[in-house]
Amino acid sequence: MSLTCKILASFLLIFTVSTKGKVSENTKVIWGCLDHDINLDIPGFQMNDGIADTRWDKNQIKIAQLRQGKPPYQITDTYVIFKNGTLKIKALKRNDSDVYTVSVYDSNGKNILEKAFDLKIQEMVSKPVISWSCTNRTLICEVAKGSDPKLKLFLNETCIKESHEKVITHKWNSKWTASFNCIASNNVGAQTSTVTISCSEKGLDIYLVIGICGGGTIFLVFVALLVFYISKRKKQRSRRNDEELEIRGKRVTPEERDWKPHQIPGSTPQNPAMSQAPPIPGHRSQAPAHRPRPPGPRVQHQQKKRPPPTLGKQVQPQKGPPLPKPRVQTKPPCEAEENS
């Protein structure tokens, strides 16, 4: 049994090698655009009534078949086989890149045609963008999207530079007024952009002057704002000083207005009506006091029998009719001492 397995394995290996060699000899490279449909046509073939079977394989796996008198077969909705034998693949993906083989048989079962297609997938390139600077005398052509892009730069319909990168740069040394054409391409498409550039020494001087004037204007505006800020701060400080002096003046004026020569500075009258009355010329104000004591022995008797004072009041013994009570007036203590 082991010998039989070895013989079968050898036969399969020989068959696979021979088949691959046959496919590789007849393989045709086909380029497909990512996310787009593609039709795999059979070159040099025309369907007729003698064709009984048309079969499509992907990597030796049947994906579609068209047999005489039977409905077409598609392994998935991604594939569609037409009556002329063409295979359509919808919305190509990266994993659709593979080898596809078509085999055609007549009514006797004879293989009359076999073709292989090597399908490769690429992303379509985007439209290139051209930018330039007259100051640096530099032109840049750039493509953002696309698989394996190739850039070509033309000056007045003459190719001056090409590259397989996504960016191409060109510099010039003379005055130019010219038309540039940049082409981005790969195996599934191409995009073109065209611009006309006008640069001269005069233009460069104008840009330089504009830049210098702009910078000088910004500096002058900054200096003006700084001077305005400083002057405003000085005015605010001067205004504050004036307000403080005015407040101090308001505080001192009433004291000077109420001050009189006979008053001691710092003393405050308790009765405003009395303090504001003008003094009578030649009259000396007297502090309120008790009536003068009568001379003679009564004074001595009063001195001998005077009881101790209580609560700041003096009680004196009297003989004869009662004396009238003195009128009590409130005076500042300082004035009372001065009068006594």
Side-chain angles (χ1 to χ4, degrees), residues 63 97 104 143 148 183 210 252 259 306 311 335:
I63 57 174
S97 180
V104 180
V143 60
D148 302 326
I183 300 176
I210 291 174
V252 173
W259 183 81
R306 180 189 303 174
L311 298 178
E335 295 182 359

PDB file of all heavy atoms in Angstrom, residues 63 97 104 143 148 183 210 252 259 306 311 335:
ATOM      1  N   ILE A  63     -14.371  28.396 -10.608  1.00  0.00           N
ATOM      2  CA  ILE A  63     -15.143  29.529 -10.092  1.00  0.00           C
ATOM      3  C   ILE A  63     -16.342  29.840 -10.988  1.00  0.00           C
ATOM      4  O   ILE A  63     -17.300  30.474 -10.528  1.00  0.00           O
ATOM      5  CB  ILE A  63     -14.258  30.785  -9.944  1.00  0.00           C
ATOM      6  CG1 ILE A  63     -13.619  31.153 -11.282  1.00  0.00           C
ATOM      7  CG2 ILE A  63     -13.194  30.588  -8.870  1.00  0.00           C
ATOM      8  CD1 ILE A  63     -12.848  32.443 -11.262  1.00  0.00           C
ATOM      9  N   SER A  97      -6.020  39.352  -6.788  1.00  0.00           N
ATOM     10  CA  SER A  97      -4.817  39.218  -7.616  1.00  0.00           C
ATOM     11  C   SER A  97      -4.350  37.766  -7.589  1.00  0.00           C
ATOM     12  O   SER A  97      -3.901  37.237  -6.570  1.00  0.00           O
ATOM     13  CB  SER A  97      -3.715  40.139  -7.083  1.00  0.00           C
ATOM     14  OG  SER A  97      -2.559  40.018  -7.863  1.00  0.00           O
ATOM     15  N   VAL A 104     -11.578  25.469 -22.823  1.00  0.00           N
ATOM     16  CA  VAL A 104     -12.714  25.337 -23.742  1.00  0.00           C
ATOM     17  C   VAL A 104     -12.685  23.921 -24.344  1.00  0.00           C
ATOM     18  O   VAL A 104     -11.634  23.458 -24.827  1.00  0.00           O
ATOM     19  CB  VAL A 104     -12.661  26.397 -24.854  1.00  0.00           C
ATOM     20  CG1 VAL A 104     -13.858  26.244 -25.787  1.00  0.00           C
ATOM     21  CG2 VAL A 104     -12.613  27.796 -24.255  1.00  0.00           C
ATOM     22  N   VAL A 143       1.902  63.719  -6.117  1.00  0.00           N
ATOM     23  CA  VAL A 143       0.701  62.901  -6.247  1.00  0.00           C
ATOM     24  C   VAL A 143       0.438  62.257  -4.894  1.00  0.00           C
ATOM     25  O   VAL A 143       1.351  61.743  -4.238  1.00  0.00           O
ATOM     26  CB  VAL A 143       0.859  61.840  -7.359  1.00  0.00           C
ATOM     27  CG1 VAL A 143       2.015  60.895  -7.074  1.00  0.00           C
ATOM     28  CG2 VAL A 143      -0.434  61.052  -7.545  1.00  0.00           C
ATOM     29  N   ASP A 148       2.462  52.524  -7.095  1.00  0.00           N
ATOM     30  CA  ASP A 148       3.646  52.595  -7.970  1.00  0.00           C
ATOM     31  C   ASP A 148       3.512  53.718  -9.000  1.00  0.00           C
ATOM     32  O   ASP A 148       3.568  53.470 -10.224  1.00  0.00           O
ATOM     33  CB  ASP A 148       3.869  51.256  -8.673  1.00  0.00           C
ATOM     34  CG  ASP A 148       4.044  50.120  -7.685  1.00  0.00           C
ATOM     35  OD1 ASP A 148       4.619  50.356  -6.616  1.00  0.00           O
ATOM     36  OD2 ASP A 148       3.574  49.000  -7.983  1.00  0.00           O
ATOM     37  N   ILE A 183       2.563  64.783 -15.282  1.00  0.00           N
ATOM     38  CA  ILE A 183       1.740  63.599 -15.544  1.00  0.00           C
ATOM     39  C   ILE A 183       2.083  62.535 -14.506  1.00  0.00           C
ATOM     40  O   ILE A 183       3.246  62.185 -14.318  1.00  0.00           O
ATOM     41  CB  ILE A 183       1.978  63.049 -16.956  1.00  0.00           C
ATOM     42  CG1 ILE A 183       1.630  64.107 -18.004  1.00  0.00           C
ATOM     43  CG2 ILE A 183       1.157  61.795 -17.187  1.00  0.00           C
ATOM     44  CD1 ILE A 183       1.937  63.679 -19.421  1.00  0.00           C
ATOM     45  N   ILE A 210       7.456  94.176  -0.302  1.00  0.00           N
ATOM     46  CA  ILE A 210       6.222  93.967   0.449  1.00  0.00           C
ATOM     47  C   ILE A 210       6.511  93.333   1.802  1.00  0.00           C
ATOM     48  O   ILE A 210       5.956  93.717   2.834  1.00  0.00           O
ATOM     49  CB  ILE A 210       5.241  93.109  -0.364  1.00  0.00           C
ATOM     50  CG1 ILE A 210       4.730  93.905  -1.576  1.00  0.00           C
ATOM     51  CG2 ILE A 210       4.069  92.648   0.498  1.00  0.00           C
ATOM     52  CD1 ILE A 210       3.870  93.103  -2.519  1.00  0.00           C
ATOM     53  N   VAL A 252      -9.319 117.768  56.334  1.00  0.00           N
ATOM     54  CA  VAL A 252      -8.687 118.787  57.174  1.00  0.00           C
ATOM     55  C   VAL A 252      -9.540 120.057  57.268  1.00  0.00           C
ATOM     56  O   VAL A 252      -9.580 120.724  58.278  1.00  0.00           O
ATOM     57  CB  VAL A 252      -7.282 119.116  56.615  1.00  0.00           C
ATOM     58  CG1 VAL A 252      -6.656 120.297  57.355  1.00  0.00           C
ATOM     59  CG2 VAL A 252      -6.406 117.887  56.717  1.00  0.00           C
ATOM     60  N   TRP A 259     -12.034 125.343  64.486  1.00  0.00           N
ATOM     61  CA  TRP A 259     -11.021 125.614  65.529  1.00  0.00           C
ATOM     62  C   TRP A 259     -11.064 127.073  65.949  1.00  0.00           C
ATOM     63  O   TRP A 259     -11.214 127.972  65.096  1.00  0.00           O
ATOM     64  CB  TRP A 259      -9.646 125.273  64.989  1.00  0.00           C
ATOM     65  CG  TRP A 259      -8.557 125.458  66.024  1.00  0.00           C
ATOM     66  CD1 TRP A 259      -8.189 124.636  66.994  1.00  0.00           C
ATOM     67  CD2 TRP A 259      -7.715 126.600  66.122  1.00  0.00           C
ATOM     68  NE1 TRP A 259      -7.185 125.149  67.727  1.00  0.00           N
ATOM     69  CE2 TRP A 259      -6.857 126.382  67.211  1.00  0.00           C
ATOM     70  CE3 TRP A 259      -7.621 127.801  65.423  1.00  0.00           C
ATOM     71  CZ2 TRP A 259      -5.891 127.302  67.619  1.00  0.00           C
ATOM     72  CZ3 TRP A 259      -6.665 128.721  65.825  1.00  0.00           C
ATOM     73  CH2 TRP A 259      -5.810 128.462  66.902  1.00  0.00           C
ATOM     74  N   ARG A 306     -18.041 119.261 108.061  1.00  0.00           N
ATOM     75  CA  ARG A 306     -18.295 118.797 106.674  1.00  0.00           C
ATOM     76  C   ARG A 306     -18.135 117.284 106.615  1.00  0.00           C
ATOM     77  O   ARG A 306     -17.100 116.756 106.996  1.00  0.00           O
ATOM     78  CB  ARG A 306     -17.317 119.443 105.708  1.00  0.00           C
ATOM     79  CG  ARG A 306     -17.543 119.006 104.284  1.00  0.00           C
ATOM     80  CD  ARG A 306     -16.444 119.484 103.377  1.00  0.00           C
ATOM     81  NE  ARG A 306     -16.322 120.927 103.438  1.00  0.00           N
ATOM     82  CZ  ARG A 306     -15.340 121.614 102.826  1.00  0.00           C
ATOM     83  NH1 ARG A 306     -14.418 120.981 102.153  1.00  0.00           N
ATOM     84  NH2 ARG A 306     -15.287 122.939 102.927  1.00  0.00           N
ATOM     85  N   LEU A 311     -19.970 110.588  95.990  1.00  0.00           N
ATOM     86  CA  LEU A 311     -20.326 110.587  94.560  1.00  0.00           C
ATOM     87  C   LEU A 311     -20.069 111.951  93.922  1.00  0.00           C
ATOM     88  O   LEU A 311     -20.830 112.434  93.102  1.00  0.00           O
ATOM     89  CB  LEU A 311     -21.804 110.188  94.339  1.00  0.00           C
ATOM     90  CG  LEU A 311     -22.175 108.789  94.799  1.00  0.00           C
ATOM     91  CD1 LEU A 311     -23.660 108.580  94.569  1.00  0.00           C
ATOM     92  CD2 LEU A 311     -21.351 107.761  94.066  1.00  0.00           C
ATOM     93  N   GLU A 335     -11.752 123.795  80.310  1.00  0.00           N
ATOM     94  CA  GLU A 335     -12.174 125.155  80.509  1.00  0.00           C
ATOM     95  C   GLU A 335     -12.456 125.451  81.956  1.00  0.00           C
ATOM     96  O   GLU A 335     -12.192 126.513  82.471  1.00  0.00           O
ATOM     97  CB  GLU A 335     -13.433 125.447  79.658  1.00  0.00           C
ATOM     98  CG  GLU A 335     -13.172 125.379  78.159  1.00  0.00           C
ATOM     99  CD  GLU A 335     -14.413 125.728  77.390  1.00  0.00           C
ATOM    100  OE1 GLU A 335     -15.428 125.999  78.023  1.00  0.00           O
ATOM    101  OE2 GLU A 335     -14.341 125.749  76.113  1.00  0.00           O
TER     102      GLU A 335
END
